[in-house]
Amino acid sequence: MTILAVETTTAYVQLYVDGDWLPVCDDPTRITPGRGVAVLLPDGGQAAVFQDRTGRWYAIDNHDPFTGAAVLSRGLMGSSDGSAFVASPLLKQRFDLTTGRCLDDEEVSVRAYAVRVAA
Amino acid sequence: MSTATPRTIVLVGHGMVGQRFLEALAEHGVAGRDRVVVLCEEPRPAYDRVQLTSYFAGRTPEELSLSDAEFLDKYGIELHLGDPAETIDRERGVVTARSGLTVAYDTLVLATGSYPFVPPVPGKDAAGCFVYRTIEDLLAIEEYAKNATTGAVVGGGLLGLEAAGALKGLGLSTHIVEFAPRLMPVQVDEGGGAALHRTITGMGLTVHTGTGTQEIVTGEDGSVTAMRLSDGSELATDMVVFSAGVRPRDQLARDCGLAVGERGGITVDERCRTADPKVFAIGECALAADGRVYGLVAPGYEMAQVAAAAIADQENGNGFTGADMSTKLKLLGVDVASFGDAHGTAEGSLDVVYADSRSGTYKKLVVGAGGELLGGVLVGDAESYGMLRPLTGSVPPISPEQLVLPAGAGAPVALGPTALPDEAVICSCHNVTKGAIRGAVTEHSCTSVPEVKKCTKAGTGCGSCVKVLGQLVTAELEAGGVEVDKGLCGCFAQTRQELYEIVLALRLTSYRELLDAHGRAEARGGDGCEICKPTIGSIIASLAPTLGADGYVLDGEQAALQDTNDHFLANLQKNGSYSIVPRIPGGEITPEKLIVIGEVARDFGLYTKITGGQRIDMFGARVEQLPLIWAKLVDAGFESGHAYGKSLRTVKSCVGSTWCRYGVQDSVRMAIDLELRYRGLRSPHKLKSAVSGCARECAEAQSKDFGVIATSNGWNLYVGGNGGATPRHADLLAQDLDDDGLIRLIDRFLMFYIRTADRLERTSTWLERIEGGLDHVRDVVVEDSLGICADLEALMTAHVSGYRDEWASTLDDPERLARFVSFVNAPEVPDPTVRFVPERNQIKPELPLLNLTTRPLEGTATR
Ligand code: SRM
Ligand SMILES: Cc1cc2nc3c(=O)[nH]c(=O)nc-3n(C[C@H](O)[C@H](O)[C@H](O)COP(=O)(O)OP(=O)(O)OC[C@H]3O[C@@H](n4cnc5c(N)ncnc54)[C@H](O)[C@@H]3O)c2cc1C
Ligand code: SF4
Ligand code: FES
């Protein structure tokens, strides 16, 4: 992994994509806890990145498999039994943010990404 | 079943009782097997005569209908509309109808009802004289009233008062002329009559008791101009409605030699059979075995059941030997009820009376020698009617004095319906006992009031038992261990209303604090869920100025709570793009502003459509375009239309008195005033309103959460209307309000709704759910029975003064604007999945890879 020599005070939100940590946001404070943002991936795909109230980070595919629209980042986040989920803003199905599994339909899941905040 | 060959059963009269008889025949398996022919005099099949007056409150004849083609088809019932029976030949067993149709019968059932009695005064047939019995009568009254300003009702009984209420509702100044010394002489005693008199006079009606009608005076064209009264005076009036009682329609029976009573009514035995075993009579035309003619629907229904059972050869059940004569006045906004032996005619009975002439309350209970409740009269406060009526005949568990005292005046804890015995009749219209209602829950697995209504028919007549019905159903469900968790969601065990009270009392502005201190143990410290977050966000927003929170719904932590649409201040569409709806108050817009909308839509390539809410929606904006588009709109003086919010949507208007030849008030101005007053108000669900300039109702105000209809004296306020999947006509809350009075009442109504409704509960469902229903809401917001109106008004005042346009506030703040980007790591790259293709010279979404799996049922009140 190569990190460009920038000010060391800058913490990046990074996604593990294709065997590498991809920096996606240089200012984690811009992401409201409990909400998400969309990220454009190098292959033209999209991810949805969230932060919960304790500062833990999550990322899943931004595409809502039920409608085809790239909107999961705009859903409402919540937690149930200690695990975080997002409810799609379109038809409200919930997806576990750690695994990407749909909580309302066993047959459906979306890809989940590893996330970290690092300099 | 003894008869093998199909018989022919002829029913004469398709009224309420006739229809019930057909249903009973079907239940017994007779209809469908035997031939059933119905001769119906009226031009329409049976309808709900009891609810006739609700036509003036907006119920259509179709809604009043009790019969449908499906039912008739299913049992092959032959219905001849507009073709009354004219003669009966009992020897040959043949009925002849007006059209010449003859039908040979094996069994004949007369259910011809009553006709209104019109006293034989000169001029009674003049143009402008009406009776009040059928839908056709009402249509004629309504038509004539258009050119009238004053109306008089002859007769101050139950129906007379209903008719008077209707005339008043039509905007006429209304008189009631009653021969007896008091109103409702049959039902209430002197004390009750006096209280009633005061209340009705207080509502703006003029009451003349102890006065007879001597002559109807007509003008040169032969139409009514006045009435001459027994005291020699003359009462100027444009129309007269006779409501001086009814007489059984027994002429057919008389003509064919069947016995009738001295004062009319076809004589029948306990099985409702006449002296001719092939002929039955049921309903209001029959003189029952107990020597009485019943002018109420419940006894008629019972007769219908008895006769159908007899015809089905099942004579072992109970016969008809008499019935309860309880009544409750349905309209006019006065609480009047009488039940059982209201006049204390039983030997040795004693009265317990509570009277308060200041509040117009009068309550009397008649108690028998053994302490048993025999009957009573309630005027001004008929709350306890639903409870007292079923207790009739038994010794109440608490003393009669305590039963008549008003709540809070030393009355002990209210007596719940659980105290009633199983045999107690809860719904007297359909004769449903408490036991049957409990059975519906325990044996037929009904879990809600609508289900129980469907299963038992209880509550589907006059409606006066619905409140007690609801209490019984809840009690039974709870007793059955159906522990209905009333909590909002998995995070909170409280209802929305309880959370509202907590937020208000503790002045909480933080969702996290609320969750950590008041959430369910397992949810504390967590992230909440998609149900409670927007709900709490809405509560905080509704109360923002009062709590000292920022009124901007996306401020700080609040931003994380809002539903996705609120979060972007726009409506998300199926492909991830957004729609934009600027506010157009009252639907009024200048050409300049129309041009701006056109220019913006053209410049950004948006699909443009006129909405159902009298404004314009522009679709197809990408998230990063929202601020650019709004900058232009705000510049031109537009504001957010909150199409995305659970908040005020539109106040539709009709053009009103400024242009319309019929308009009586300036409906456009009022609609604009209301829309500007309540814009931005966050509520449990969306709020819609409309203002019509006259009773023609072009703005469809009665389908709105709060609808306003102009009258010549001011405004009528309707509440609880709804379009959507379960439409509901709004109920009249108050009449003839002036501008200030109207706004004050809406302020209170809305704030009371916001305070007490469940999440995503429109005013319509709220009004039906809330204990006490419309009456309770009226008590609270009109009479201030809880003493909270000042608080409610203060909350609204705070909202109104704290209002700022959300889009203008957003554009003013770079930090807020930063949210409107496609990608956090590539803000300048538009979302490649949002694409459009042309259609009818505009755009429509090009849907990406629609690998759609099955969708849940969309729409209804969840979004
Ligand atoms: C745009 C519009 C249709 C149109 O092209 O005319 C519309 C569009 C939507 N309606 Fe509607 N309704 C529109 C007028 C109506 C009306 C007519 C009216 O307001 O006079 C009704 C019936 C009246 C009523 O609400 O009582 C109506 C009853 C509904 C309902 C059913 C509500 C109910 O209580 O049953 C929903 C679903 C809900 O809210 O749960 C709904 C939901 C929606 C949503 C918000 C569905 C959604 O979540 O995507 C639609 C999105 C609007 C958007 O993206 O801009 N819409 N909708 C109308 C916008 C009016 C406006 O100017 O604000
Ligand atoms: C405004 C109003 C309010 C009321 N409120 C209440 C209330 O709150 N509670 C209550 O219990 N009751 C109330 N009633 C009374 C209730 O409507 C009657 O008790 C009930 O309708 C009686 O039913 P029925 O079938 O006997 O008569 P109806 O419903 O009058 O039906 C008789 C039918 O027979 C038809 N008919 C007559 N002669 C012939 C013929 N020769 N051939 C063919 N058809 C014929 C008539 O046209 C009519 O359609 C109210 C009545 C009115 C008018
Ligand atoms: S409701 Fe009355 S005033 Fe308004 S447009 Fe219609 S007819 Fe005219
Ligand atoms: S008492 Fe009339 S509907 Fe139940």
Side-chain angles (χ1 to χ4, degrees):
Chain A
M1 176 182 65
T2 41
I3 288 223
L4 302 174
V6 284
E7 289 99 346
T8 41
T9 47
T10 310
Y12 281 90
V13 181
Q14 305 178 344
L15 248 59
Y16 194 68
V17 186
D18 293 336
D20 222 346
W21 287 100
L22 176 77
V24 293
C25 175
D26 61 1
D27 182 5
T29 61
R30 271 178 53 196
I31 301 177
T32 315
R35 288 224 93 100
V37 291
V39 161
L40 189 62
L41 300 177
D43 65 355
Q46 303 183 21
V49 179
F50 300 85
Q51 182 188 12
D52 71 12
R53 65 182 273 193
T54 64
R56 202 171 306 138
W57 291 86
Y58 308 88
I60 58 173
D61 190 348
N62 195 28
H63 282 95
D64 173 9
F66 291 94
T67 59
V71 293
L72 291 185
S73 61
R74 296 176 230 166
L76 271 172
M77 229 202 99
S79 64
S80 131
D81 298 332
S83 38
F85 66 82
V86 63
S88 166
L90 279 174
L91 302 179
K92 314 280 154 158
Q93 292 88 354
R94 293 164 306 150
F95 296 89
D96 186 295
L97 285 175
T98 317
T99 62
R101 279 207 344 268
C102 176
L103 300 176
D104 300 301
D105 186 341
E106 292 179 348
E107 319 243 292
V108 181
S109 65
V110 296
R111 181 168 170 188
Y113 297 90
V115 205
R116 68 175 191 191
V117 177
Chain B
M1 305 283 145
S2 61
T3 12
T5 40
R7 302 171 290 182
T8 300
I9 300 168
V10 176
L11 170 67
V12 179
H14 194 216
M16 298 187 74
V17 173
Q19 170 64 21
R20 185 52 175 266
F21 169 75
L22 293 176
E23 289 166 16
L25 275 189
E27 283 157 22
H28 284 290
V30 176
R33 186 191 61 196
D34 291 346
R35 177 177 179 222
V36 181
V37 180
V38 185
L39 298 176
C40 173
E41 175 184 56
E42 294 188 55
R44 59 185 84 241
Y47 53 86
D48 192 345
R49 203 177 304 288
V50 171
Q51 297 293 343
L52 192 63
T53 307
S54 67
Y55 169 78
F56 290 119
R59 277 235 237 159
T60 61
E62 292 70 41
E63 286 170 326
L64 288 170
S65 176
L66 291 176
S67 182
D68 58 55
E70 208 181 306
F71 169 78
L72 299 170
D73 281 356
K74 183 167 171 204
Y75 296 100
I77 296 170
E78 299 167 35
L79 175 64
H80 299 273
L81 291 179
D83 199 8
E86 281 195 331
T87 52
I88 300 169
D89 181 340
R90 288 200 289 130
E91 228 153 85
R92 287 170 49 228
V94 173
V95 197
T96 310
R98 179 178 297 163
S99 66
L101 172 79
T102 57
V103 193
Y105 63 81
D106 297 295
T107 304
L108 178 67
V109 178
L110 300 172
T112 47
S114 302
Y115 65 90
F117 169 68
V118 177
V121 292
K124 68 182 170 48
D125 297 318
C129 287
F130 298 89
V131 292
Y132 200 82
R133 178 84 194 170
T134 64
I135 291 187
E136 273 55 42
D137 293 335
L138 265 58
L139 295 174
I141 289 171
E142 185 180 41
E143 186 57 34
Y144 201 86
K146 285 181 186 158
N147 298 310
T149 54
T150 307
V153 174
V154 177
L158 192 72
L159 293 188
L161 293 185
E162 268 194 50
L167 291 188
K168 178 157 187 287
L170 287 169
L172 305 189
S173 88
T174 305
H175 298 261
I176 303 170
V177 181
E178 168 58 52
F179 186 70
R182 62 173 182 273
L183 293 170
M184 289 181 70
V186 182
Q187 289 87 4
V188 308
D189 59 2
E190 223 181 289
L196 190 56
H197 193 299
R198 255 190 313 275
T199 314
I200 289 189
T201 310
M203 293 169 63
L205 286 90
T206 315
V207 179
H208 312 259
T209 44
T211 314
T213 306
Q214 272 184 340
E215 186 187 344
I216 306 298
V217 186
T218 53
E220 276 174 13
D221 62 352
S223 60
V224 176
T225 55
M227 285 166 70
R228 200 173 335 275
L229 304 180
S230 57
D231 60 5
S233 67
E234 223 176 76
L235 175 66
T237 186
D238 304 323
M239 58 194 295
V240 175
V241 176
F242 289 102
S243 184
V246 295
R247 299 286 183 273
R249 290 187 73 170
D250 52 15
Q251 196 59 42
L252 273 178
R254 288 174 192 262
D255 292 348
C256 67
L258 288 169
V260 296
E262 212 171 288
R263 309 221 316 268
I266 308 165
T267 312
V268 294
D269 63 14
E270 288 187 7
R271 303 277 152 207
C272 297
R273 212 185 285 260
T274 64
D276 179 341
K278 291 166 97 180
V279 184
F280 291 75
I282 55 178
E284 287 194 339
C285 65
L287 175 67
D290 68 344
R292 290 212 272 181
V293 172
Y294 287 91
L296 293 171
V297 71
Y301 279 175
E302 232 177 284
M303 292 185 217
Q305 306 277 25
V306 169
I311 292 169
D313 282 343
Q314 291 169 2
E315 311 228 351
N316 40 3
N318 291 333
F320 181 84
T321 52
D324 179 27
M325 295 279 271
S326 307
T327 34
K328 192 176 174 199
L329 190 59
K330 295 182 293 295
L331 287 150
L332 208 71
V334 196
D335 266 3
V336 185
S338 83
F339 59 96
D341 180 9
H343 295 288
T345 52
E347 179 99 38
S349 65
L350 296 167
D351 296 350
V352 177
V353 178
Y354 169 86
D356 174 3
S357 20
R358 285 169 315 160
S359 64
T361 313
Y362 174 88
K363 299 195 222 175
K364 180 181 87 173
L365 298 183
V366 179
V367 183
E372 72 279 15
L373 180 64
L374 295 178
V377 177
L378 307 168
V379 177
D381 173 12
E383 263 295 291
S384 47
Y385 171 70
M387 271 300 303
L388 290 174
R389 186 187 53 191
L391 276 176
T392 311
S394 62
V395 178
I398 57 176
S399 74
E401 301 84 85
Q402 290 175 316
L403 284 171
V404 292
L405 280 178
V413 273
L415 182 57
T418 35
L420 294 171
D422 265 357
E423 323 70 78
V425 173
I426 301 298
C427 175
S428 64
C429 285
H430 292 278
N431 200 6
V432 185
T433 59
K434 176 180 167 190
I437 291 167
R438 293 183 46 199
V441 175
T442 52
E443 283 153 41
H444 300 275
S445 325
C446 298
T447 55
S448 67
V449 172
E451 281 171 36
V452 173
K453 277 184 169 179
K454 218 172 151 189
C455 177
T456 62
K457 288 205 162 164
T460 59
C462 68
S464 65
C465 62
V466 173
K467 184 177 171 194
V468 172
L469 182 65
Q471 292 167 337
L472 280 176
V473 171
T474 314
E476 203 52 42
L477 281 174
E478 278 172 358
V482 184
E483 179 59 66
V484 204
D485 186 342
K486 299 191 181 92
L488 179 66
C489 61
C491 310
F492 286 98
Q494 298 87 343
T495 61
R496 181 191 170 280
Q497 177 178 0
E498 287 161 349
L499 291 169
Y500 177 101
E501 299 298 344
I502 293 173
V503 169
L504 179 60
L506 304 182
R507 297 280 193 269
L508 282 180
T509 57
S510 159
Y511 168 80
R512 281 188 202 173
E513 263 176 55
L514 184 70
L515 180 65
D516 294 351
H518 303 275
R520 296 183 199 258
E522 62 274 22
R524 295 188 184 180
D527 275 87
C529 76
E530 80 281 14
I531 293 170
C532 56
K533 279 164 72 167
T535 306
I536 307 297
S538 161
I539 292 175
I540 294 175
S542 302
L543 291 172
T546 308
L547 302 178
D550 194 311
Y552 182 68
V553 295
L554 300 183
D555 189 56
E557 189 207 22
Q558 282 199 64
L561 305 181
Q562 306 303 334
D563 244 323
T564 184
N565 283 352
D566 293 79
H567 192 234
F568 289 96
L569 305 173
N571 292 53
L572 181 64
Q573 303 300 313
K574 62 198 295 179
N575 68 340
S577 67
Y578 285 90
S579 79
I580 293 166
V581 189
R583 190 167 291 293
I584 300 182
E588 181 184 270
I589 185 163
T590 60
E592 283 70 27
K593 281 189 151 177
L594 267 180
I595 289 169
V596 172
I597 290 190
E599 285 174 348
V600 167
R602 182 195 58 206
D603 295 350
F604 288 87
L606 305 174
Y607 167 78
T608 312
K609 181 179 183 298
I610 310 285
T611 72
Q614 296 191 341
R615 48 191 188 169
I616 300 173
D617 202 344
M618 291 170 274
F619 295 80
R622 289 191 312 272
V623 65
E624 71 277 12
Q625 291 178 313
L626 291 172
L628 306 172
I629 293 170
W630 271 105
K632 293 224 150 94
L633 292 172
V634 168
D635 216 35
F638 285 106
E639 294 184 353
S640 166
H642 296 99
Y644 45 80
K646 298 293 176 250
S647 55
L648 181 79
R649 295 287 168 86
T650 62
V651 182
K652 302 213 291 190
S653 75
C654 75
V655 64
S657 61
T658 318
W659 293 89
C660 178
R661 63 189 161 143
Y662 293 122
V664 290
Q665 303 286 348
D666 188 349
S667 48
V668 178
R669 182 201 42 90
M670 181 52 79
I672 294 174
D673 287 356
L674 294 180
E675 185 154 347
L676 295 180
R677 183 169 183 82
Y678 303 119
R679 63 188 162 180
L681 178 66
R682 292 304 203 270
S683 51
H685 205 317
K686 57 193 173 194
L687 289 169
K688 298 182 177 185
S689 176
V691 184
S692 281
C694 81
R696 283 166 195 76
E697 248 285 69
C698 297
E700 303 171 309
Q702 288 169 96
S703 67
K704 298 299 174 200
D705 296 278
F706 58 104
V708 180
I709 302 177
T711 68
S712 44
N713 305 322
W715 308 98
N716 286 355
L717 175 59
Y718 292 80
V719 295
N722 206 162
T726 318
R728 181 181 191 278
H729 266 289
D731 291 312
L732 183 60
L733 184 67
Q735 284 175 290
D736 293 332
L737 299 158
D738 59 16
D739 286 12
D740 290 345
L742 174 69
I743 287 173
R744 191 164 52 238
L745 196 51
I746 300 176
D747 282 2
R748 295 173 177 182
F749 172 79
L750 290 179
M751 276 301 172
F752 186 53
Y753 160 67
I754 290 175
R755 183 170 199 148
T756 54
D758 276 341
R759 152 186 185 269
L760 294 187
E761 187 176 45
R762 288 287 288 269
T763 55
S764 58
T765 25
W766 168 73
L767 205 56
E768 306 230 309
R769 174 194 51 94
I770 193 168
E771 198 161 306
L774 177 69
D775 288 343
H776 173 62
V777 171
R778 188 183 283 121
D779 281 350
V780 173
V781 303
V782 181
E783 313 296 342
D784 199 7
S785 62
L786 299 180
I788 57 170
C789 285
D791 289 350
L792 297 176
E793 287 173 31
L795 287 170
M796 189 62 85
T797 309
H799 162 77
V800 172
S801 51
Y803 169 82
R804 271 166 298 152
D805 173 33
E806 285 162 12
W807 264 110
S809 310
T810 305
L811 295 171
D812 283 348
D813 183 338
E815 255 187 50
R816 292 170 178 175
L817 277 179
R819 180 175 303 127
F820 296 86
V821 294
S822 51
F823 299 107
V824 69
N825 61 341
E828 67 293 343
V829 181
D831 181 345
T833 67
V834 177
R835 282 193 303 256
F836 302 93
V837 291
E839 182 172 74
R840 293 189 295 275
N841 300 323
Q842 299 203 62
I843 58 162
K844 72 166 186 186
E846 178 185 6
L847 294 176
L849 62 137
L850 287 185
N851 56 340
L852 296 183
T853 53
T854 40
R855 289 188 181 203
L857 184 65
E858 276 175 68
T860 45
T862 51
R863 272 159 261 275

